[in-house]
Amino acid sequence: MSLPAKVDLLGLNLQELTNLAVENQQPTFRGKQLAEAVYRQRIPALEQISTLPQNFRFHLAESGVDIGWPEILKRFVSHDGTIRYLIGFGDGESVETVWMPEGDGGEAGDGSDAYEDGEQQHLHEWHRATICISSQVGCAVNCQFCLTAKLGVKRNLTAGEIAGQVLVILRDQGVDVGKERINLVFMGMGEPFLNYDNFMKAVRILVEEVGIPESRMTVSTAGIVPRIEDFAKESIRPKLAISLNASNDELRESVMPLNRKWDLEALIGAAKAFPLRNRERLTFEYVLLSGVNDKKENAREVVRLLNGVRAKVNLIALNPGPEIPYSTPDEQRVHEFQNILIDAGIPAFIRRPRGLDIYAACGQLKRTEELVALR
Ligand code: SAH
């Protein structure tokens, strides 16, 4: 006799939940009840889903079905309010997910930082919050300035594990999705476009079942060109950010080896072909590395590269880390770079680091257990 195969409800869409109900001789509306219980009410355990008949709950459990919630293993709290969560999965693997009350500044200039009517009546001291989500355990892309690269890639996350990070944090923070403004950025550990199908399935569940609008989501890619082309065709999709990080091929190859596979011509070509919605801009992220890619000439090259792209640029002064062979440029240099872009008509913003003291900032997610103040 073999044990029943384990099935997690988390990660199943409404159609799949409905199929599961019907396979168990239940009416189709039980699918909707399952979706409500998992994605809206975030009920901790199957046996607590009181909208379902007792025998159906029992039968599901008997046949190896569970909700499959990830577990919050640790919380590291920054003095700026950012929380780095260590989140564990059934097989013992874990990732980090970051909660940023008041956002990460990355939304600046896209209109989402303006409060809408009625939003003053929030339930918490924060007006809005951003969750930074991981898509893989580790990362295979090997960007030379990023700590996650040091882990290599262990495995892809499932759709349930991607959406589950959001849900356990919403529950931990007591968030009412209908009343409070939540932004999602797929910018944590891993390269979302190397786990494309699971990432997109999680997005659709977060939009359709959890109720977070796609307009409040942004995915960042290191530049997997064929997947940018696929993403362009999606009917439900977050906004797109591209990690540019260098102003010419030679430089980009040295800091992001994947540029050998998809060079700037291919990348900018895909960006130009990307269909933007009303008032939407493509975001280009640019990590400034002192003396490497932060010269005035680099800024001028970026202006030329982005000519003809409806773009905005987010500048990030390097967040340092052990074994990262670069240093952070001083503030004046960052401003000079920004001004060259702005003078050329490109909206450019400086992203303030969040949670730097707890290793929660961009490029610092490495499941670091010790707390070291870096600056
Ligand atoms: N793999 C995706 C998403 C994760 S990285 C991508 O590459 O876009 C998210 C952002 O953090 C990227 O724009 C990346 O360039 C930036 N980043 C990585 N390491 C950093 C560091 N040490 N300091 C500042 N930003 C960093």
Side-chain angles (χ1 to χ4, degrees):
M1 207 184 83
S2 62
L3 289 168
K6 201 178 161 304
V7 175
D8 288 340
L9 297 179
L10 197 61
L12 300 186
N13 59 32
L14 180 58
Q15 185 60 57
E16 291 164 331
L17 292 170
T18 305
N19 294 346
L20 183 71
V22 171
E23 282 159 20
N24 284 280
Q25 289 75 49
Q26 294 289 323
T28 49
F29 69 81
R30 299 266 180 245
K32 187 79 196 158
Q33 288 179 321
L34 284 166
E36 282 279 329
V38 175
Y39 296 123
R40 299 273 174 172
Q41 298 173 282
R42 313 186 288 248
I43 293 178
L46 187 59
E47 62 268 20
Q48 292 169 20
I49 308 181
S50 56
T51 48
L52 303 176
Q54 186 74 55
N55 63 344
F56 180 38
R57 278 180 260 171
F58 184 75
H59 186 74
L60 285 178
E62 278 272 278
S63 56
V65 175
D66 192 9
I67 299 181
W69 289 116
E71 189 188 347
I72 295 175
L73 301 174
K74 272 198 176 129
R75 296 174 189 78
F76 301 89
V77 183
S78 167
H79 61 69
D80 69 12
T82 300
I83 303 177
R84 176 166 63 96
Y85 286 89
L86 182 65
I87 294 189
F89 305 112
D91 67 346
E93 284 297 350
S94 57
V95 295
E96 299 189 330
T97 314
V98 184
W99 165 260
M100 291 168 278
E102 299 302 336
D104 68 344
E107 314 88 345
D110 63 3
S112 71
D113 45 351
Y115 299 129
E116 285 159 8
D117 283 354
E119 247 186 324
Q120 280 75 2
Q121 296 176 336
H122 45 85
L123 303 172
H124 296 97
E125 60 275 19
W126 41 271
H127 297 259
R128 60 182 174 145
T130 298
I131 303 175
C132 178
I133 305 153
S134 293
S135 55
Q136 298 180 305
V137 181
C139 189
V141 178
N142 202 22
C143 300
Q144 299 297 296
F145 44 80
C146 179
L147 273 184
T148 308
K150 308 281 176 204
L151 297 173
V153 69
K154 295 246 178 77
R155 68 169 175 85
N156 282 337
L157 297 186
T158 63
E161 289 169 337
I162 296 171
Q165 294 167 61
V166 177
L167 288 161
V168 294
I169 289 178
L170 294 177
R171 183 162 67 199
D172 195 54
Q173 294 290 333
V175 176
D176 180 339
V177 172
K179 295 211 177 81
E180 292 161 295
R181 182 185 198 91
I182 297 296
N183 296 299
L184 301 183
V185 296
F186 296 89
M187 301 188 184
M189 295 168 71
E191 168 49 49
F193 281 8
L194 291 179
N195 184 17
Y196 187 80
D197 292 343
N198 292 339
F199 155 70
M200 279 308 301
K201 186 174 186 194
V203 163
R204 288 188 288 266
I205 288 173
L206 289 163
V207 172
E208 291 170 348
E209 305 308 330
V210 179
I212 301 173
E214 59 189 313
S215 59
R216 291 192 194 152
M217 301 181 182
T218 304
V219 60
S220 177
T221 180
I224 315 295
V225 169
R227 294 296 86 72
I228 294 176
E229 291 162 358
D230 293 339
F231 190 64
K233 299 182 200 126
E234 300 284 354
S235 53
I236 292 180
R237 64 156 178 85
K239 291 180 283 187
L240 180 62
I242 295 175
S243 295
L244 184 61
N245 296 338
S247 57
N248 60 61
D249 278 315
E250 192 190 344
L251 197 52
R252 196 161 187 269
E253 266 177 34
S254 71
V255 295
M256 298 179 75
L258 111 160
N259 194 74
R260 278 183 223 123
K261 189 149 186 183
W262 296 290
D263 65 8
L264 284 171
E265 192 186 343
L267 184 63
I268 300 299
K272 285 187 173 152
F274 194 79
L276 292 167
R277 297 169 186 150
N278 245 349
R279 294 177 60 212
E280 187 181 354
R281 280 178 188 273
L282 269 181
T283 299
F284 287 85
E285 296 141 302
Y286 197 101
V287 183
L288 290 158
L289 311 168
S290 181
V292 176
N293 66 358
D294 66 340
K295 302 181 191 70
K296 289 184 175 142
E297 180 49 29
N298 298 121
R300 289 186 210 107
E301 279 180 331
V302 170
V303 169
R304 287 197 287 277
L305 269 179
L306 298 185
N307 182 28
V309 188
R310 208 199 307 159
K312 71 165 181 165
V313 174
N314 278 342
L315 298 170
I316 320 171
L318 175 79
N319 297 314
E323 292 173 62
I324 298 296
Y326 304 107
S327 58
T328 310
D330 59 39
E331 227 172 291
Q332 193 202 332
R333 220 168 154 95
V334 176
H335 279 110
E336 281 169 5
F337 200 99
Q338 179 189 28
N339 286 334
I340 292 173
L341 300 182
I342 291 174
D343 289 346
I346 301 174
F349 303 88
I350 300 171
R351 278 207 8 204
R352 80 198 139 107
R354 297 292 310 267
L356 205 55
D357 55 340
I358 55 159
Y359 271 94
C362 299
Q364 295 193 311
L365 300 184
K366 201 198 152 199
R367 303 188 295 189
T368 309
E369 295 274 340
E370 68 275 22
L371 294 178
V372 190
L374 285 163
R375 287 184 191 170

PDB file of all heavy atoms in Angstrom, residues 203-221:
ATOM      1  N   VAL A 203       1.270  35.205  -9.590  1.00  0.00           N
ATOM      2  CA  VAL A 203       0.739  36.549  -9.866  1.00  0.00           C
ATOM      3  C   VAL A 203      -0.775  36.487 -10.084  1.00  0.00           C
ATOM      4  O   VAL A 203      -1.540  37.265  -9.499  1.00  0.00           O
ATOM      5  CB  VAL A 203       1.417  37.168 -11.118  1.00  0.00           C
ATOM      6  CG1 VAL A 203       0.612  38.352 -11.664  1.00  0.00           C
ATOM      7  CG2 VAL A 203       2.840  37.603 -10.787  1.00  0.00           C
ATOM      8  N   ARG A 204      -1.217  35.532 -10.898  1.00  0.00           N
ATOM      9  CA  ARG A 204      -2.655  35.458 -11.188  1.00  0.00           C
ATOM     10  C   ARG A 204      -3.458  35.141  -9.932  1.00  0.00           C
ATOM     11  O   ARG A 204      -4.531  35.689  -9.714  1.00  0.00           O
ATOM     12  CB  ARG A 204      -2.913  34.433 -12.299  1.00  0.00           C
ATOM     13  CG  ARG A 204      -2.440  34.928 -13.677  1.00  0.00           C
ATOM     14  CD  ARG A 204      -2.870  33.995 -14.800  1.00  0.00           C
ATOM     15  NE  ARG A 204      -2.127  32.754 -14.772  1.00  0.00           N
ATOM     16  CZ  ARG A 204      -1.001  32.508 -15.475  1.00  0.00           C
ATOM     17  NH1 ARG A 204      -0.517  33.420 -16.293  1.00  0.00           N
ATOM     18  NH2 ARG A 204      -0.390  31.355 -15.367  1.00  0.00           N
ATOM     19  N   ILE A 205      -2.918  34.277  -9.079  1.00  0.00           N
ATOM     20  CA  ILE A 205      -3.617  33.967  -7.820  1.00  0.00           C
ATOM     21  C   ILE A 205      -3.658  35.215  -6.926  1.00  0.00           C
ATOM     22  O   ILE A 205      -4.685  35.528  -6.325  1.00  0.00           O
ATOM     23  CB  ILE A 205      -2.927  32.784  -7.108  1.00  0.00           C
ATOM     24  CG1 ILE A 205      -3.225  31.479  -7.873  1.00  0.00           C
ATOM     25  CG2 ILE A 205      -3.380  32.680  -5.652  1.00  0.00           C
ATOM     26  CD1 ILE A 205      -2.466  30.252  -7.375  1.00  0.00           C
ATOM     27  N   LEU A 206      -2.551  35.942  -6.875  1.00  0.00           N
ATOM     28  CA  LEU A 206      -2.508  37.138  -6.021  1.00  0.00           C
ATOM     29  C   LEU A 206      -3.472  38.208  -6.512  1.00  0.00           C
ATOM     30  O   LEU A 206      -4.080  38.935  -5.725  1.00  0.00           O
ATOM     31  CB  LEU A 206      -1.074  37.684  -5.949  1.00  0.00           C
ATOM     32  CG  LEU A 206      -0.105  36.814  -5.131  1.00  0.00           C
ATOM     33  CD1 LEU A 206       1.349  37.155  -5.431  1.00  0.00           C
ATOM     34  CD2 LEU A 206      -0.384  36.967  -3.624  1.00  0.00           C
ATOM     35  N   VAL A 207      -3.640  38.293  -7.838  1.00  0.00           N
ATOM     36  CA  VAL A 207      -4.574  39.276  -8.395  1.00  0.00           C
ATOM     37  C   VAL A 207      -6.017  38.786  -8.223  1.00  0.00           C
ATOM     38  O   VAL A 207      -6.861  39.483  -7.652  1.00  0.00           O
ATOM     39  CB  VAL A 207      -4.283  39.533  -9.891  1.00  0.00           C
ATOM     40  CG1 VAL A 207      -5.375  40.403 -10.525  1.00  0.00           C
ATOM     41  CG2 VAL A 207      -2.913  40.192 -10.071  1.00  0.00           C
ATOM     42  N   GLU A 208      -6.275  37.570  -8.691  1.00  0.00           N
ATOM     43  CA  GLU A 208      -7.666  37.121  -8.803  1.00  0.00           C
ATOM     44  C   GLU A 208      -8.231  36.614  -7.482  1.00  0.00           C
ATOM     45  O   GLU A 208      -9.422  36.806  -7.207  1.00  0.00           O
ATOM     46  CB  GLU A 208      -7.761  36.013  -9.867  1.00  0.00           C
ATOM     47  CG  GLU A 208      -7.516  36.569 -11.260  1.00  0.00           C
ATOM     48  CD  GLU A 208      -7.349  35.495 -12.330  1.00  0.00           C
ATOM     49  OE1 GLU A 208      -7.190  34.309 -11.976  1.00  0.00           O
ATOM     50  OE2 GLU A 208      -7.371  35.858 -13.519  1.00  0.00           O
ATOM     51  N   GLU A 209      -7.431  35.958  -6.690  1.00  0.00           N
ATOM     52  CA  GLU A 209      -7.961  35.370  -5.462  1.00  0.00           C
ATOM     53  C   GLU A 209      -7.633  36.190  -4.209  1.00  0.00           C
ATOM     54  O   GLU A 209      -8.454  36.316  -3.319  1.00  0.00           O
ATOM     55  CB  GLU A 209      -7.454  33.926  -5.290  1.00  0.00           C
ATOM     56  CG  GLU A 209      -7.739  33.011  -6.470  1.00  0.00           C
ATOM     57  CD  GLU A 209      -9.212  33.003  -6.899  1.00  0.00           C
ATOM     58  OE1 GLU A 209     -10.098  33.208  -6.042  1.00  0.00           O
ATOM     59  OE2 GLU A 209      -9.466  32.807  -8.102  1.00  0.00           O
ATOM     60  N   VAL A 210      -6.425  36.728  -4.142  1.00  0.00           N
ATOM     61  CA  VAL A 210      -6.049  37.497  -2.951  1.00  0.00           C
ATOM     62  C   VAL A 210      -6.595  38.922  -3.061  1.00  0.00           C
ATOM     63  O   VAL A 210      -6.956  39.534  -2.057  1.00  0.00           O
ATOM     64  CB  VAL A 210      -4.517  37.478  -2.729  1.00  0.00           C
ATOM     65  CG1 VAL A 210      -4.115  38.287  -1.497  1.00  0.00           C
ATOM     66  CG2 VAL A 210      -4.027  36.028  -2.590  1.00  0.00           C
ATOM     67  N   GLY A 211      -6.656  39.441  -4.300  1.00  0.00           N
ATOM     68  CA  GLY A 211      -7.274  40.755  -4.498  1.00  0.00           C
ATOM     69  C   GLY A 211      -6.309  41.921  -4.522  1.00  0.00           C
ATOM     70  O   GLY A 211      -6.692  43.055  -4.256  1.00  0.00           O
ATOM     71  N   ILE A 212      -5.049  41.661  -4.850  1.00  0.00           N
ATOM     72  CA  ILE A 212      -4.078  42.761  -4.972  1.00  0.00           C
ATOM     73  C   ILE A 212      -3.979  43.140  -6.456  1.00  0.00           C
ATOM     74  O   ILE A 212      -3.675  42.291  -7.285  1.00  0.00           O
ATOM     75  CB  ILE A 212      -2.697  42.346  -4.425  1.00  0.00           C
ATOM     76  CG1 ILE A 212      -2.832  41.938  -2.949  1.00  0.00           C
ATOM     77  CG2 ILE A 212      -1.684  43.483  -4.584  1.00  0.00           C
ATOM     78  CD1 ILE A 212      -1.570  41.358  -2.340  1.00  0.00           C
ATOM     79  N   PRO A 213      -4.253  44.416  -6.790  1.00  0.00           N
ATOM     80  CA  PRO A 213      -4.248  44.790  -8.212  1.00  0.00           C
ATOM     81  C   PRO A 213      -2.872  44.635  -8.867  1.00  0.00           C
ATOM     82  O   PRO A 213      -1.854  44.918  -8.235  1.00  0.00           O
ATOM     83  CB  PRO A 213      -4.669  46.262  -8.211  1.00  0.00           C
ATOM     84  CG  PRO A 213      -5.057  46.600  -6.829  1.00  0.00           C
ATOM     85  CD  PRO A 213      -4.577  45.532  -5.905  1.00  0.00           C
ATOM     86  N   GLU A 214      -2.877  44.204 -10.116  1.00  0.00           N
ATOM     87  CA  GLU A 214      -1.618  44.032 -10.849  1.00  0.00           C
ATOM     88  C   GLU A 214      -0.859  45.354 -10.972  1.00  0.00           C
ATOM     89  O   GLU A 214       0.366  45.381 -11.059  1.00  0.00           O
ATOM     90  CB  GLU A 214      -1.874  43.441 -12.240  1.00  0.00           C
ATOM     91  CG  GLU A 214      -2.790  44.301 -13.079  1.00  0.00           C
ATOM     92  CD  GLU A 214      -3.241  43.649 -14.380  1.00  0.00           C
ATOM     93  OE1 GLU A 214      -2.397  43.100 -15.106  1.00  0.00           O
ATOM     94  OE2 GLU A 214      -4.442  43.722 -14.667  1.00  0.00           O
ATOM     95  N   SER A 215      -1.601  46.463 -10.962  1.00  0.00           N
ATOM     96  CA  SER A 215      -0.959  47.778 -11.083  1.00  0.00           C
ATOM     97  C   SER A 215      -0.105  48.101  -9.856  1.00  0.00           C
ATOM     98  O   SER A 215       0.670  49.047  -9.881  1.00  0.00           O
ATOM     99  CB  SER A 215      -2.026  48.857 -11.255  1.00  0.00           C
ATOM    100  OG  SER A 215      -2.899  48.832 -10.139  1.00  0.00           O
ATOM    101  N   ARG A 216      -0.260  47.343  -8.784  1.00  0.00           N
ATOM    102  CA  ARG A 216       0.568  47.574  -7.589  1.00  0.00           C
ATOM    103  C   ARG A 216       1.661  46.535  -7.455  1.00  0.00           C
ATOM    104  O   ARG A 216       2.195  46.296  -6.366  1.00  0.00           O
ATOM    105  CB  ARG A 216      -0.302  47.588  -6.337  1.00  0.00           C
ATOM    106  CG  ARG A 216      -1.185  48.809  -6.333  1.00  0.00           C
ATOM    107  CD  ARG A 216      -1.847  49.030  -5.016  1.00  0.00           C
ATOM    108  NE  ARG A 216      -2.919  49.997  -5.204  1.00  0.00           N
ATOM    109  CZ  ARG A 216      -4.009  50.042  -4.463  1.00  0.00           C
ATOM    110  NH1 ARG A 216      -4.170  49.183  -3.473  1.00  0.00           N
ATOM    111  NH2 ARG A 216      -4.919  50.952  -4.697  1.00  0.00           N
ATOM    112  N   MET A 217       1.966  45.872  -8.563  1.00  0.00           N
ATOM    113  CA  MET A 217       3.017  44.855  -8.536  1.00  0.00           C
ATOM    114  C   MET A 217       4.098  45.217  -9.549  1.00  0.00           C
ATOM    115  O   MET A 217       3.790  45.679 -10.641  1.00  0.00           O
ATOM    116  CB  MET A 217       2.446  43.489  -8.945  1.00  0.00           C
ATOM    117  CG  MET A 217       1.332  42.982  -8.073  1.00  0.00           C
ATOM    118  SD  MET A 217       0.806  41.345  -8.686  1.00  0.00           S
ATOM    119  CE  MET A 217      -0.538  41.022  -7.540  1.00  0.00           C
ATOM    120  N   THR A 218       5.329  44.962  -9.190  1.00  0.00           N
ATOM    121  CA  THR A 218       6.445  45.152 -10.124  1.00  0.00           C
ATOM    122  C   THR A 218       7.353  43.928 -10.055  1.00  0.00           C
ATOM    123  O   THR A 218       7.679  43.460  -8.970  1.00  0.00           O
ATOM    124  CB  THR A 218       7.268  46.406  -9.754  1.00  0.00           C
ATOM    125  OG1 THR A 218       6.399  47.542  -9.716  1.00  0.00           O
ATOM    126  CG2 THR A 218       8.367  46.667 -10.773  1.00  0.00           C
ATOM    127  N   VAL A 219       7.737  43.424 -11.222  1.00  0.00           N
ATOM    128  CA  VAL A 219       8.709  42.330 -11.261  1.00  0.00           C
ATOM    129  C   VAL A 219      10.005  42.873 -11.846  1.00  0.00           C
ATOM    130  O   VAL A 219       9.994  43.665 -12.778  1.00  0.00           O
ATOM    131  CB  VAL A 219       8.206  41.128 -12.080  1.00  0.00           C
ATOM    132  CG1 VAL A 219       7.923  41.491 -13.532  1.00  0.00           C
ATOM    133  CG2 VAL A 219       9.209  39.969 -12.018  1.00  0.00           C
ATOM    134  N   SER A 220      11.106  42.455 -11.259  1.00  0.00           N
ATOM    135  CA  SER A 220      12.405  42.872 -11.763  1.00  0.00           C
ATOM    136  C   SER A 220      13.142  41.675 -12.351  1.00  0.00           C
ATOM    137  O   SER A 220      13.200  40.610 -11.741  1.00  0.00           O
ATOM    138  CB  SER A 220      13.226  43.478 -10.620  1.00  0.00           C
ATOM    139  OG  SER A 220      14.514  43.831 -11.085  1.00  0.00           O
ATOM    140  N   THR A 221      13.687  41.866 -13.547  1.00  0.00           N
ATOM    141  CA  THR A 221      14.475  40.807 -14.172  1.00  0.00           C
ATOM    142  C   THR A 221      15.886  41.290 -14.458  1.00  0.00           C
ATOM    143  O   THR A 221      16.107  42.464 -14.769  1.00  0.00           O
ATOM    144  CB  THR A 221      13.836  40.303 -15.486  1.00  0.00           C
ATOM    145  OG1 THR A 221      14.666  39.263 -16.029  1.00  0.00           O
ATOM    146  CG2 THR A 221      13.680  41.412 -16.522  1.00  0.00           C
TER     147      THR A 221
END
